[in-house]
Amino acid sequence: MRKIIMAVVAAALPVGAMAQGAFDAYTLSQGDLRGTARFMSMAGAFGALGGDLSTLNQNPGGIGVYRTSEIGVTMDIDIEDSNVGGNKDSKTRVYCPNLGYIGAIALDNDVMPYFQWGVSYGRVASFDRIYHGGFGDLGTSMTNYIANRAYGYSPDVLGQSTDYNPYWGSNADWLSILSFNSYGINPVGGTSIYNGLFDDNQTVGNAQFMMRQKGYVDEYAINFGGNLMNNVYWGIGFGVTDIDMRQESFYDEELQDARIAKNEGMGTGVETGNAYNALINYRRVSGAGFNFKVGAIVKPINELRFGFAIHTPTYYNLTDRYNAEMQYSYSSNITDGTAYTEYAEYDWELQTPWKMIVSAAGVIDGRFILSADYEYAAYDNMKISDYDGNEYLDATQEIKDYFKPTHTMRIGTEYRITPQLSVRAGFAQSTSAVDKVVEDGNIEVYTTGCNPAYTYDSTTRYITAGLGYKYKGFYIDLAYVNKYRKSQYSPFSSFDDLAYAGTDSWVYNPAAEFTTNNNNIVVSVGYKF
């Protein structure tokens, strides 16, 4: 067995381990439909309505609608099911997505009759997801992709000797180092060109993968607002966010008639045989950030309302921790074993997309509400920097190449059957943030660290319903929310094989489409006084 130990000092990490990639920014910038049961049962279409604790995280102008104070809490049961080609995973979680207080102060002023302030805790996103699947007929190998990443690095830079550890002070890609030292890639004649295990002319194989991800984005908001002559409601809000994402990923390949090294050591030549490689990654990203929101609601007549809100990016300071290992087994004279990296830690900064929300709502006879929101999120304007604020310009260009703005429509309705009982329903859908060139596999997607895999959502849709009951100042709301996502997982990117010249050198990666359904039962209770 060959065992590689990587000793890392965070302040002196080699280039191959430090820089963040575009998909890191995308994964950590995801939002969700979270809030009170009333808010969720109307699919979050509250931008022109206000008067709900969730508006502190959406349109701050909604706080200006309040004429009484309110305190409330929400509980959520989240049942998740994932399906990758018949491979199913499920998990159930219980948590509190919203807790808040809003105070309304009467000013006895005709111009601004009320001033409001509020504080809230809200879970604005959840990273929780488990899925697994496989590929039955590989057309290439992860090792071939890694061999392409290693192109140009000499074997003595990637290898380990008694007086030199390649992880120290080298700008070589860590995944290439890990694969070289587990015999997944082998130099061609001792040069800086490498072969992966997959020979296009004869190798056949299959692969399995598993992704286990959990974590959250929580926001603690404080808002201030007012009411101008009962026609214009304004608000400003400041949010402090807490983020924590933990990820464990597994990908392995079993190959027959593979191109493997004959013996341990460099330059021993290759032979045909069976090969097994498994890459396991562990990662945790945590930190804190802040954002600013401003919004307003205009009510020209009692039956019609318009809303507008702007969210700045959330500016994060993050700490990234990870390690990886490669398990291997070959039918040649190489001893089965595992190559390791040790624990790595470094700090970086992220700027998430800015957002704009435009809304309209109609209120008929004080009993029927129809509301709609449009949200624009600028995913192509995300930015990544080091801990000193120096922007990673390569990552910025990748963000522009891979991503585009998203467009979200939300429609919600409420009907008051009696003064105490209401029924609600809603629908929301978001477009994909990923550009078509990524979806079609026509661009190389660069990742960082030792995990070449990436996942994105192509469709996100919500169907919601709910009930509300109030008695004097007390209320209880119930919501059912179905969140449907169609996603795609790729264990590594398509790539232009540098070892071959010509028009047929582009290699398409394996990709698996899968779906995730989240069924949420949400209950809110509160008191207005």
Side-chain angles (χ1 to χ4, degrees):
M1 174 185 289
R2 172 179 290 188
K3 185 173 182 179
I4 301 172
I5 301 299
M6 179 190 71
V8 172
V9 178
L13 280 170
V15 174
M18 274 176 49
Q20 290 301 310
F23 265 86
D24 298 315
Y26 166 76
T27 301
L28 296 171
S29 297
Q30 298 301 293
D32 208 348
L33 177 61
R34 305 282 174 174
T36 67
R38 186 185 181 207
F39 178 86
M40 294 179 71
S41 66
M42 295 178 65
F46 260 78
L49 293 175
D52 187 272
L53 291 171
S54 298
T55 61
L56 274 67
N57 303 108
Q58 190 203 44
N59 182 357
I63 195 174
V65 175
Y66 277 89
R67 296 187 179 185
T68 60
S69 300
E70 177 181 350
I71 187 169
V73 63
T74 300
M75 296 302 297
D76 189 337
I77 302 173
D78 185 354
I79 305 167
E80 178 188 281
D81 296 290
S82 295
N83 189 333
V84 186
N87 298 291
K88 299 181 179 180
D89 292 282
S90 62
K91 189 171 183 179
T92 301
R93 293 167 289 268
V94 180
Y95 59 93
C96 171
N98 186 266
L99 172 66
Y101 167 82
I102 291 177
I105 303 170
L107 300 179
D108 296 325
N109 185 305
D110 292 338
V111 176
M112 194 169 84
Y114 288 92
F115 175 78
Q116 297 87 2
W117 69 279
V119 292
S120 73
Y121 155 80
R123 175 147 296 180
V124 296
S126 172
F127 298 119
D128 293 354
R129 186 153 62 166
I130 302 172
Y131 52 92
H132 78 283
F135 303 100
D137 187 13
L138 287 174
T140 185
S141 165
M142 179 182 65
T143 59
N144 289 47
Y145 167 73
I146 298 172
N148 208 59
R149 285 174 62 148
Y151 186 95
Y153 291 107
S154 63
D156 59 345
V157 169
L158 300 181
Q160 175 179 268
S161 65
T162 56
D163 58 351
Y164 172 71
N165 187 320
Y167 295 103
W168 279 90
S170 169
N171 65 350
D173 177 72
W174 280 16
L175 182 58
S176 300
I177 297 171
L178 184 63
S179 189
F180 181 87
N181 287 280
S182 57
Y183 306 98
I185 62 175
N186 296 286
V188 178
T191 68
S192 298
I193 301 174
Y194 298 87
N195 281 328
L197 297 172
F198 198 94
D199 185 335
D200 294 342
N201 296 318
Q202 61 186 17
T203 304
V204 295
N206 60 77
Q208 301 289 325
F209 64 87
M210 184 277 293
M211 174 68 74
R212 184 186 302 272
Q213 189 171 279
K214 62 185 302 183
Y216 56 84
V217 179
D218 287 345
E219 183 174 77
Y220 304 87
I222 179 168
N223 286 35
F224 302 93
N227 171 350
L228 299 178
M229 295 181 291
N230 293 319
N231 293 116
V232 178
Y233 308 92
W234 61 271
I236 58 174
F238 180 77
V240 176
T241 56
D242 174 29
I243 189 169
D244 190 5
M245 185 193 75
R246 283 166 283 177
Q247 192 178 79
E248 178 184 349
S249 64
F250 173 88
Y251 176 78
D252 74 352
E253 294 178 345
E254 295 184 64
L255 306 175
Q256 298 176 4
D257 297 324
R259 184 172 46 199
I260 59 178
K262 290 182 178 179
N263 298 287
E264 295 185 359
M266 293 185 291
T268 62
V270 297
E271 65 182 18
T272 299
N274 297 329
Y276 173 82
N277 276 82
L279 175 63
I280 305 169
N281 274 275
Y282 307 91
R283 186 182 187 192
R284 183 174 186 178
V285 183
S286 60
F290 68 91
N291 57 55
F292 182 77
K293 305 179 183 73
V294 61
I297 295 175
V298 179
K299 186 174 69 173
I301 58 176
N302 284 333
E303 292 78 17
L304 188 61
R305 304 174 187 188
F306 300 99
F308 180 78
I310 288 286
H311 298 189
T312 70
T314 298
Y315 300 92
Y316 280 114
N317 288 302
L318 301 171
T319 298
D320 210 321
R321 307 170 181 87
Y322 73 84
N323 64 303
E325 63 184 76
M326 183 83 79
Q327 300 173 0
Y328 56 91
S329 176
Y330 305 108
S331 60
S332 61
N333 290 326
I334 298 173
T335 305
D336 299 350
T338 304
Y340 297 92
T341 69
E342 214 172 82
Y343 176 83
E345 179 176 327
Y346 53 96
D347 299 323
W348 57 292
E349 296 180 358
L350 169 65
Q351 178 179 315
T352 69
W354 64 269
K355 297 179 181 180
M356 176 185 69
I357 304 171
V358 179
S359 314
V363 181
I364 301 174
D365 195 28
R367 300 181 66 182
F368 179 74
I369 297 174
L370 180 63
S371 180
D373 287 357
Y374 164 74
E375 180 180 299
Y376 174 94
Y379 276 88
D380 54 339
N381 282 103
M382 299 181 293
K383 287 184 172 57
I384 300 171
S385 307
D386 66 18
Y387 61 89
D388 288 324
N390 301 307
E391 184 178 346
Y392 290 133
L393 297 179
D394 288 346
T396 298
Q397 186 57 51
E398 291 168 14
I399 287 169
K400 295 184 181 301
D401 291 341
Y402 302 163
F403 299 106
K404 60 186 179 182
T406 61
H407 309 275
T408 301
M409 287 298 303
R410 296 186 285 263
I411 299 174
T413 183
E414 178 181 82
Y415 181 71
R416 187 173 296 171
I417 301 174
T418 71
Q420 291 77 34
L421 182 64
S422 301
V423 293
R424 303 163 184 140
F427 176 84
Q429 183 160 323
S430 298
T431 61
S432 174
V434 177
D435 196 271
K436 193 173 187 299
V437 69
V438 176
E439 295 178 349
D440 294 342
N442 291 326
I443 190 173
E444 183 165 356
V445 173
Y446 295 98
T447 60
T448 57
C450 292
N451 191 358
Y454 57 95
T455 301
Y456 63 85
D457 299 330
S458 57
T459 300
T460 304
R461 182 173 67 240
Y462 297 89
I463 297 174
T464 68
L467 296 170
Y469 181 80
K470 61 181 182 179
Y471 177 73
K472 295 183 178 179
F474 293 94
Y475 66 84
I476 181 169
D477 295 314
L478 176 68
Y480 165 75
V481 178
N482 173 257
K483 177 184 179 181
Y484 169 86
R485 281 183 290 176
K486 181 183 288 186
S487 309
Q488 181 168 297
Y489 164 86
S490 296
F492 52 90
S493 175
S494 300
F495 61 98
D496 188 12
D497 196 334
L498 298 175
Y500 299 92
T503 58
D504 59 348
S505 59
W506 189 256
V507 180
Y508 285 94
N509 61 334
E513 281 194 347
F514 67 99
T515 60
T516 306
N517 273 284
N518 290 77
N519 292 288
N520 296 75
I521 306 297
V522 188
V523 179
S524 295
V525 293
Y527 180 62
K528 296 185 178 183
F529 54 97

